[in-house]
Amino acid sequence: MLLIMNNKKLIPVMLCFFAMGFVDMVGIASNYVKEDLSLSDSMANILLSLVFLWFLIFSIPTSLLMNRIGRKNTVLVSLFLTLAAMIVPMFTLNFTMLILSFSLLGIGNAIMQTSLNPLVDSVMKGGASASTLTFGQFIKSIASFLAPIIASWGATTNAFGMGWRALYPIYLAIGVVATLLLFGTRINEQQATAEQDSVGEQFAGAFGLLRNPFILFCFLAIICHVGIDVGTSVTAPKILMERTGIGLNEAAIIGTIYFVAKAAGSFSGSFIMKFLKDWTFLLLSVLLMVLSAFGLIFGQSTAIIYASVALMGFGNGNPFSIVFARAMQAAPEKKNEVSGLLIMGICGGMIFPPFMGLASDAIGQVGAVLVMSVGILYLLGFWMKGGKASAEGC
């Protein structure tokens, strides 16, 4: 909070982080869509994966777009697409319109996540530190944990005559405010480095960063982090319903527990990392996630499931910002390209859900947790191997 008070330009930027959190509504939305349209787990998760497909396609082009029109203007483009995604489901609910809405949300979020993190660097004038980005992730988490609450309230009260889709007009209004505030804020951006001779060479330059072992490790870590994030928000309500027999409207609240814990992890992390090395804090975060996975696999009571989801949220609140900041430091002369490459790793939200859906259809929700556990084990390995690669200056 002191950070924002000391730099007023961070206010619209942090509100954009809130709009970035709109993408996390797809977790609870997919559960309601599954119920409304009578879909299987695997089919519902494939629809969910559609949101994250666009990160694979648009992240690198966005880094090139930033070089041409600037970071602020690129964020504004992403906001317009996000607003369009909020408008579509307000009028009708069918599979085609959901595909359109989820696609617009995915494209907008891919562009936003690629451009907003470097924009923080512009506002902070060379200091896109892990703690600043972590505070942004805390703001993003507020939007994330509000989504299940609003959806459950809308479904219970039939708010606006739209049921759970009451999410959309509420987030639309907030998105409009974020767009107007950012548009009216003057931000002096650093000049982009000289462009290569062709777009193809720029693509090659961005992907060429993967030859750096540490950046490759970071890219895979982002894939796993997001896979765990999306997987938990989708699977947690299903675990409750499977093991306790409660309905979706009641089970949906566990998504809020996850995102509240994630917000708490991000918020506390922004202060803890002022006193504790980020790499040490990353290990502590991953160990909490390991403990959570055991609880989700073996726990049968509501209390254990809630506690396990909370641990997962708290632990997963910081890896993104730590990994992102470390990668930016590893190639400071190519920050836009590094941002585009790492945000492409958010396609982990596309990779994990289909396998989780197939596993849960086969052996129940424990199968989905086992798939997520692969990502947790990679993060543990990343801490062990990535720290060495970083220290060697790779």
Side-chain angles (χ1 to χ4, degrees):
M1 191 61 65
L2 290 175
L3 186 69
I4 294 179
M5 291 175 63
N6 291 334
N7 192 335
K8 300 298 184 182
K9 291 182 180 180
L10 272 180
I11 294 176
V13 172
M14 289 299 161
L15 195 55
C16 290
F17 271 102
F18 188 93
M20 185 192 294
F22 292 178
V23 74
D24 289 323
M25 72 159 54
V26 300
I28 189 60
S30 68
N31 281 302
Y32 278 104
V33 168
K34 176 192 171 189
E35 190 172 85
D36 291 344
L37 301 182
S38 301
L39 303 176
S40 66
D41 268 356
S42 54
M43 182 60 70
N45 283 6
I46 287 174
L47 180 63
L48 174 65
S49 296
L50 182 63
V51 175
F52 299 95
L53 166 67
W54 304 107
F55 285 89
L56 187 63
I57 298 173
F58 279 92
S59 297
I60 295 297
T62 298
S63 69
L64 309 182
L65 182 64
M66 279 191 289
N67 288 337
R68 293 184 178 276
I69 68 172
R71 297 167 181 176
K72 173 186 166 181
N73 288 335
T74 305
V75 173
L76 286 171
V77 169
S78 73
L79 286 168
F80 289 132
L81 290 168
T82 301
L83 295 181
M86 296 298 102
I87 293 172
V88 171
M90 291 169 56
F91 300 102
T92 184
L93 179 67
N94 60 59
F95 201 74
T96 302
M97 288 298 102
L98 285 170
I99 288 175
L100 176 59
S101 176
F102 278 32
S103 295
L104 287 171
L105 183 59
I107 295 169
N109 210 263
I111 296 173
M112 189 182 302
Q113 297 224 35
T114 306
S115 55
L116 186 55
N117 291 305
L119 185 63
V120 171
D121 187 56
S122 294
V123 174
M124 298 302 293
K125 299 188 182 302
S129 66
S131 60
T132 304
L133 292 174
T134 294
F135 189 79
Q137 291 299 308
F138 162 70
I139 299 298
K140 173 180 179 288
S141 294
I142 296 176
S144 303
F145 74 66
L146 285 177
I149 296 176
I150 297 172
S152 180
W153 164 75
T156 303
T157 64
N158 195 30
F160 312 136
M162 300 177 66
W164 67 269
R165 289 182 295 144
L167 263 172
Y168 289 96
I170 293 173
Y171 277 7
L172 174 65
I174 297 172
V176 168
V177 174
T179 303
L180 293 176
L181 284 179
L182 182 64
F183 182 79
T185 301
R186 184 174 182 178
I187 298 175
N188 296 320
E189 302 181 26
Q190 298 94 329
Q191 194 70 26
T193 57
E195 297 181 3
Q196 288 108 337
D197 294 335
S198 69
V199 173
E201 289 182 359
Q202 293 182 54
F203 268 94
F207 281 106
L209 292 170
L210 291 175
R211 291 194 295 267
N212 180 322
F214 182 66
I215 291 181
L216 174 61
F217 292 158
C218 289
F219 174 70
L220 296 175
I222 295 295
I223 288 178
C224 292
H225 158 74
V226 177
I228 295 164
D229 189 51
V230 175
T232 303
S233 66
V234 173
T235 303
K238 297 175 184 177
I239 292 175
L240 266 183
M241 291 187 288
E242 179 183 83
R243 299 180 189 174
T244 68
I246 63 177
L248 178 55
N249 285 341
E250 186 178 353
I253 301 301
I254 196 172
T256 294
I257 299 297
Y258 172 75
F259 287 116
V260 166
K262 186 179 177 185
S266 297
F267 185 75
S268 61
S270 65
F271 295 101
I272 292 172
M273 281 187 286
K274 294 181 183 296
F275 308 100
L276 190 68
K277 290 183 178 179
D278 60 351
W279 211 248
T280 302
F281 191 50
L282 176 64
L283 174 61
L284 295 176
S285 298
V286 175
L287 290 178
L288 288 178
M289 294 161 68
V290 171
L291 183 60
S292 168
F294 277 103
L296 292 176
I297 290 171
F298 299 107
Q300 297 295 323
S301 69
T302 301
I304 292 177
I305 295 171
Y306 269 75
S308 299
V309 168
L311 283 176
M312 188 71 78
F314 194 90
N316 210 26
N318 294 284
F320 180 89
S321 56
I322 294 172
V323 172
F324 198 99
R326 283 286 185 123
M328 297 275 273
Q329 293 166 10
E333 75 287 356
K334 290 184 175 292
K335 288 183 178 180
N336 285 355
E337 289 79 2
V338 170
S339 177
L341 188 65
L342 292 189
I343 297 305
M344 188 174 69
I346 294 179
C347 70
M350 173 193 73
I351 295 170
F352 275 64
F355 292 104
M356 293 172 63
L358 291 172
S360 61
D361 282 342
I363 61 174
Q365 297 307 320
V366 67
V369 180
L370 290 173
V371 173
M372 286 196 302
S373 297
V374 174
I376 297 173
L377 290 176
Y378 175 82
L379 290 178
L380 187 58
F382 169 74
W383 177 84
M384 296 171 63
K385 297 294 184 180
K388 182 179 178 181
S390 180
E392 290 174 350
C394 294

